[in-house]
Amino acid sequence: MSLKWFSESYGRLSNYIDGEYVEADSDRFLESYDPGLGRVIAEVPISSRSDVDVAVSSALEAFRKWSQIPILERMRYLVRLRMLVEEKSGELALMLAQNVGKTVREGRGEVQRTIEAIDSALGLPHLFMSVRKLVNVAGGEPEIDMEMVREPLGVFAIISPFNFPVMIPMWFIPMAVTLGNTVIVKPSELDPVPITYFIKLFKDAGYPDGVVNLVNGDASTSQHLLEHRDVVGVAFVGSSPVAEKIYSAACSKGKRALCQAGAKNPVLLMPDAVPEPSVENIVAGFFDMAGQRCLAPGLLITVGEAYDRFLEMIISKVKRIRVGYQLLETTDTGPLASLRGRQRVVGMIEKALEQGARILLDGRNIKVDEKYSMGFYLGPTILDQVSPEMEIAREEVFGPVMPIVRASSFDEALEIANSGAYGNTGTIYTSSGRYAREFARRMNAGNIAVNMAVAQPNQFFPFPGRKKSFYGVLHGQVDALDFFTDRKVIMQRWW
Ligand code: NAD
């Protein structure tokens, strides 16, 4: 594998095991695209059980020494890694844009949040202050001390989705390894190019071989990881059906699991919302990254007169979105990441129309420059007269679609918002403190936003989802210490 970063194509990708790029022991491959050109830019191996075995042995071997190194020393590598990521940020943003289909601006945003994930992990020693020692505690038997220590656990698998191929693994890697574990990343098979290059920065930063590994592959590769005896836990981010499977498979084998999953985020638009900034904000929330964010709004619920007051403004703002090739600075929104994803979204639009929705803006035949005509573009689409029971109102679309449901009151809108199966975020646009407060208290979701379409918390906050949006108890960020270490109680008596 060539080590030059941004390029027109990348050939056959390797795995990264024990500090080296190695070819997968597999004759099964998938194609990874530049979705704006509709052109294959890399071949992705579907790593086999034997590839996973080699990766796990290397990670386990590395764990023996790595877990004994003082945490302050482990953190020094993280500081170097941060500098290297900054140096590579321009090229990395381009690769992210090229392989995912997000714009270069969105690629830069992902790099920035990757750096913030490193910054958050730099605070870990502070959390260790929760460790306690109790002296002379045994009744009637003096000189017995009890102490609780924390220990890293071993090898963790990190299974990630396509939409943030570098940032999401980096939500977990810095925490896991700084706390003394070793990891194996299994990226999405759709766009693994950026993370496959990025992963070597760990070696450049001085991390010992085997601490951070990567195996490319699909669902079968994840399964091999989950079934491996020496993988102690999994951090997963992806869709809800897969999260549910991974969570139960991991738990049934006694492994730790946290699974951040899909979403259908409702947005309540109240008649008293401040017009200009609210509309601009809502439109960006629905259509940036072509709607492929777990925090993107998924359903617009207008309350009372809000429909008449804001609809024309919304339509005219959406019409101005420039859809095009993601590497052009003039593009506001790029293509979808895959042809299959595009077909799925179009299928959902068609089903909604059959069920009685009315299309106000139709992105299905969006025109882009002839050079990009093979790309997976889908223009912004607005669907009106959507009822809360329709699939388009209940299921995650993960595409540039704004379904609109009308409610006559705040209470009715809130009931619709809370009736869904997901609980990632809920948003309200209003200038009333009373409604904002009530919404924040009564909306059943992990992240609440007032006058913000995308409730993206800072990296050191948890990323809580409820209902089908999160499986597990502990979160990879704020609960990193509990998730990536185990407690041990040591009792001592010295005669
Ligand atoms: P996905 O569930 O299809 O795939 C995620 C990962 O799981 C990939 O690495 C894939 O190879 C693997 N996988 C797929 N099927 C599997 C199976 N049966 N067994 C084991 N592994 C399997 O998700 P995606 O399409 O890549 O990503 C989009 C989804 O991710 C959306 O639902 C989105 O909401 C969600 N997401 C959630 C968050 C969050 O923090 N809650 C963040 C980003 C994305």
Side-chain angles (χ1 to χ4, degrees), residues 140-327:
E141 289 223 45
E143 290 155 12
I144 292 185
D145 300 343
M146 291 186 201
E147 181 178 16
M148 189 182 80
V149 297
R150 289 199 176 257
E151 292 185 337
L153 287 146
V155 182
F156 277 84
I158 296 169
I159 301 175
S160 58
F162 77 80
N163 62 339
F164 289 96
V166 171
M167 176 190 79
I168 288 181
M170 287 296 286
W171 280 348
F172 308 112
I173 307 173
M175 298 285 187
V177 301
T178 304
L179 288 167
N181 304 284
T182 56
V183 298
I184 300 171
V185 179
K186 205 300 284 171
S188 165
E189 59 273 40
L190 281 185
D191 49 15
V193 174
I195 186 73
T196 303
Y197 278 70
F198 179 92
I199 212 82
K200 183 173 173 290
L201 292 185
F202 283 89
K203 180 163 178 138
D204 298 343
Y207 281 85
D209 295 346
V211 171
V212 178
N213 307 275
L214 176 144
V215 288
N216 272 302
D218 64 2
S220 63
T221 314
S222 313
Q223 288 303 334
H224 301 321
L225 279 165
L226 287 169
E227 283 161 15
H228 200 294
R229 193 193 54 186
D230 294 326
V231 170
V232 292
V234 56
F236 167 87
V237 181
S239 63
S240 296
V242 177
E244 205 172 312
K245 278 188 203 152
I246 290 193
Y247 190 66
S248 44
C251 293
S252 72
K253 291 185 166 49
K255 298 178 194 295
R256 292 183 173 204
L258 72 84
C259 298
Q260 297 181 204
K264 182 72 184 175
N265 304 313
V267 173
L268 267 64
L269 179 56
M270 300 295 288
D272 66 356
V274 186
E276 271 285 322
S278 300
V279 168
E280 169 141 9
N281 208 234
I282 290 171
V283 169
F286 270 91
F287 298 108
D288 281 0
M289 264 188 73
Q292 298 167 111
R293 287 185 290 189
C294 68
L295 294 174
L299 183 67
L300 182 64
I301 309 173
T302 59
V303 178
E305 292 153 25
Y307 178 84
D308 291 328
R309 190 163 294 167
F310 296 112
L311 187 68
E312 280 313 314
M313 285 174 75
I314 290 175
I315 294 175
S316 84
K317 185 90 200 156
V318 176
K319 279 184 175 160
R320 289 205 293 274
I321 295 174
R322 293 165 301 179
V323 178
Y325 185 48
Q326 68 271 21
L327 292 182

Side-chain angles (χ1 to χ4, degrees), residues 31-41 96-103 106 161-165 188-192 289-293 326 333-345 374-378 397-400:
E31 290 172 330
S32 177
Y33 284 80
D34 173 334
L37 298 177
R39 201 181 69 203
V40 175
I41 57 169
L96 286 163
Q98 177 192 36
N99 204 195
V100 187
K102 57 180 75 181
T103 61
E106 290 162 345
F162 77 80
N163 62 339
F164 289 96
S188 165
E189 59 273 40
L190 281 185
D191 49 15
M289 264 188 73
Q292 298 167 111
R293 287 185 290 189
Q326 68 271 21
T333 301
L336 293 191
S338 71
L339 187 56
R340 208 177 56 188
R342 186 188 186 283
Q343 285 162 347
R344 195 183 49 76
V345 178
M374 298 302 286
F376 314 144
Y377 298 94
L378 180 62
V397 177
F398 230 55

Side-chain angles (χ1 to χ4, degrees), residues 9-41:
S9 64
Y10 300 88
R12 184 170 286 183
L13 299 183
S14 304
N15 292 333
Y16 190 75
I17 299 175
D18 208 18
E20 302 289 339
Y21 283 109
V22 288
E23 270 191 36
D25 174 26
S26 169
D27 51 10
R28 292 165 63 221
F29 296 91
L30 295 166
E31 290 172 330
S32 177
Y33 284 80
D34 173 334
L37 298 177
R39 201 181 69 203
V40 175
I41 57 169

